[in-house]
């Protein structure tokens, strides 16, 4: 069944690749209700199974990597009109505007500087002028770009200068700030933590962004204050649920009031094909990408995701299950 891009969901969603055609599927966070999101035949290209997959804020657009003639490329697919609306060599730092009108990214090579795609007209423009003059010093986006960040809540576009400039001017802020609505230059300011100035990504809950190898997590509304070092690359709910995208695993942390014997539970996901009779025959899904549907976003902190999963077992339940499985295995092996 083909997923409807704007349907109302009851729980967070997980996207993943599977099969020789690297078809992209979507499912509920607990592994139920698997649906087709995008097939290779419709895309007309082979999706990269280990590449980046991301849904836009309204869910209408799907950002994905695919295999081109000379390596991977990046595309934005419109899930409503079922067509590619942007196709570029690379899309570093990719961000959608909150209303999904625009898509921002940095290309590669000679085009390594911020671009903006109008997703309605499909027109791409440069975000910055050819020269940016700050306090009498001239910077060139084509050559001086490190990364960028968008802060729509405060109407800011943050342009991070290259690491080379940061080294040479270590006593000056690395970020140049503009007013997003009209791109008026506001000056060179310390706007982001130092470890985020070379680039950042967002958690499924877009109120949080993450930087560095230790998954340092910050609030978009308070970008200089560290929230936590997330234990895994995807924070689903802070202190409660996390995801290992590459390992295709979800982790649940015991909460106050829960009676289970374990402080943490790991959920492994497998695909049970028709005719499969043994766990050994189940297949691994591809890289996970989490998606928070907009109909769940407003009160997501208070949403109890545990209702979609079995309760963390108590000591008694664990021992009962252990003895039951042990008995079944002995019977299957003729009592041995």
């Amino acid at each position: 069944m083909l997923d409807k891009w704007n349907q109302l969901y009851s729980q967070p969603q997980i996207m993943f690749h599977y099969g020789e055609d690297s078809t992209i599927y979507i499912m509920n966070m607990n592994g139920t209700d698997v649906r087709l999101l995008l097939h290779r035949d419709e895309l007309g290209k082979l999706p990269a199974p280990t590449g980046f997959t991301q849904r836009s804020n309204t869910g209408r657009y799907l950002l994905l990597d695919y295999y081109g003639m000379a390596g991977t490329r990046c595309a934005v697919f419109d899930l409503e009109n079922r067509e590619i609306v942007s196709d570029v060599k690379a899309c570093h730092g990719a961000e959608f505007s909150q209303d999904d009108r625009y898509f921002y990214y940095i290309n590669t090579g000679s085009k390594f500087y911020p671009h903006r795609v109008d997703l309605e007209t499909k027109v791409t423009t440069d975000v910055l002028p050819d020269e940016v003059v700050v306090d009498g010093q001239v910077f060139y986006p084509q050559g001086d770009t490190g990364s960028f960040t968008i802060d729509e809540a405060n109407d800011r576009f943050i342009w991070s200068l290259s690491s080379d400039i940061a080294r040479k001017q270590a006593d000056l802020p690395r970020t140049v700030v503009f007013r997003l609505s009209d791109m008026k230059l506001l000056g060179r300011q310390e706007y982001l933590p130092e470890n985020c100035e070379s680039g950042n990504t967002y958690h499924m809950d877009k109120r949080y962004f993450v930087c560095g190898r230790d998954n340092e997590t910050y609030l978009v509304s308070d970008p200089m204050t560290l929230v936590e070092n997330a234990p895994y690359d995807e924070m689903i709910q802070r202190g409660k649920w996390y995801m290992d995208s590459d390992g295709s695993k979800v982790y649940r942390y015991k909460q106050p009031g829960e009676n289970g014997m374990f402080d943490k539970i790991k959920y492994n996901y497998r695909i049970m094909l028709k005719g499969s009779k043994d766990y050994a025959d189940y297949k691994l899904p591809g890289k996970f990408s989490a998606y928070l549907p907009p109909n769940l976003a407003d009160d997501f902190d208070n949403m109890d995701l545990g209702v979609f999963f079995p309760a963390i077992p108590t000591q008694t339940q664990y021992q009962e299950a252990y003895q039951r499985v042990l008995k079944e295995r002995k019977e299957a092996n003729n009592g041995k």
Side-chain angles (χ1 to χ4, degrees), residues 33-313:
D33 193 20
V34 179
R35 298 153 336 262
L36 173 65
L37 188 62
L38 181 62
H39 193 279
R40 173 188 183 178
D41 292 343
E42 184 179 15
L43 181 66
K45 308 170 189 301
L46 178 62
T50 59
F52 187 64
T53 306
Q54 176 185 323
R55 287 288 282 277
S56 65
N57 296 295
T58 67
R60 176 175 173 177
Y61 298 99
L62 176 69
L63 173 67
L64 72 150
D65 289 338
Y66 73 88
Y67 291 122
M69 295 297 292
T72 57
R73 291 179 61 88
C74 179
V76 177
F77 188 84
D78 184 343
L79 293 169
E80 179 179 23
N81 296 326
R82 312 304 295 185
E83 63 176 353
I84 294 174
V85 292
S86 178
D87 185 352
V88 295
K89 190 173 182 180
C91 45
H92 303 292
E95 290 191 38
F96 291 92
S97 61
Q98 288 296 320
D99 60 2
D100 275 1
R101 174 66 188 273
Y102 300 109
F103 171 63
Y104 297 84
Y105 69 97
I106 291 176
N107 209 321
T108 190
S110 62
K111 294 185 177 294
F112 192 85
Y113 52 89
H115 305 269
R116 188 184 76 174
V117 182
D118 186 319
L119 294 173
E120 291 185 6
T121 65
K122 304 176 188 177
V123 174
T124 301
T125 56
D126 297 341
V127 176
L128 300 171
D130 293 338
E131 297 181 356
V132 177
V133 182
V134 186
D135 298 329
Q137 186 171 4
V138 181
F139 298 102
Y140 302 93
Q142 186 174 354
D144 291 338
T145 290
S147 64
F148 73 91
T149 300
I150 296 172
D151 180 358
E152 283 193 82
N154 294 303
D155 194 23
R156 296 291 184 264
F157 182 92
I158 303 96
W159 178 43
S160 293
L161 299 168
S162 68
S163 57
D164 184 58
I165 292 176
R167 284 194 299 270
K168 293 177 180 177
Q169 301 179 3
D171 57 330
L172 295 175
R174 184 176 175 178
T175 50
V176 179
V177 181
F178 300 80
R179 190 164 58 204
L180 178 63
S181 54
D182 59 8
M183 290 307 293
K184 178 182 178 180
L185 175 65
L186 301 178
R188 202 165 172 178
Q189 305 172 16
E190 291 287 1
Y191 202 93
L192 298 170
E194 185 177 352
N195 62 322
C196 297
E197 292 176 343
S198 58
N200 62 77
T201 57
Y202 290 85
H203 284 304
M204 178 195 77
D205 185 341
K206 297 294 177 58
R207 294 175 301 167
Y208 300 93
F209 67 96
V210 59
C211 310
R213 295 181 178 179
D214 293 327
N215 302 318
E216 296 99 327
T217 297
Y218 303 85
L219 268 172
V220 172
S221 59
D222 184 14
M224 295 299 287
T225 301
L226 178 68
V227 173
E228 70 168 4
N229 286 350
Y232 300 95
D233 64 310
E234 179 64 76
M235 182 183 74
I236 296 175
Q237 273 186 337
R238 181 186 171 193
K240 301 176 183 179
W241 294 85
Y242 297 86
M243 187 173 79
D244 174 7
S245 299
D246 289 326
S248 304
K249 299 178 179 67
V250 168
Y251 294 85
R252 173 185 186 175
Y253 285 76
K254 183 179 176 181
Q255 300 301 303
E258 289 190 288
N259 296 319
M261 64 177 291
F262 300 107
D263 292 330
K264 182 174 75 170
I265 291 286
K266 177 176 69 175
Y267 295 98
N268 293 299
Y269 292 71
R270 297 293 186 272
I271 298 171
M272 184 177 67
L273 303 178
K274 291 182 178 179
S276 299
K277 297 181 179 180
D278 188 85
Y279 183 80
D281 298 326
Y282 298 173
K283 304 297 181 181
L284 283 168
K287 182 176 181 178
F288 276 5
S289 296
Y291 166 54
L292 179 61
N295 67 291
L296 302 180
D298 288 345
D299 196 35
F300 186 61
D301 285 340
N302 297 318
M303 185 176 182
D304 181 11
L305 299 179
V307 299
F308 302 110
F309 293 79
I312 298 175

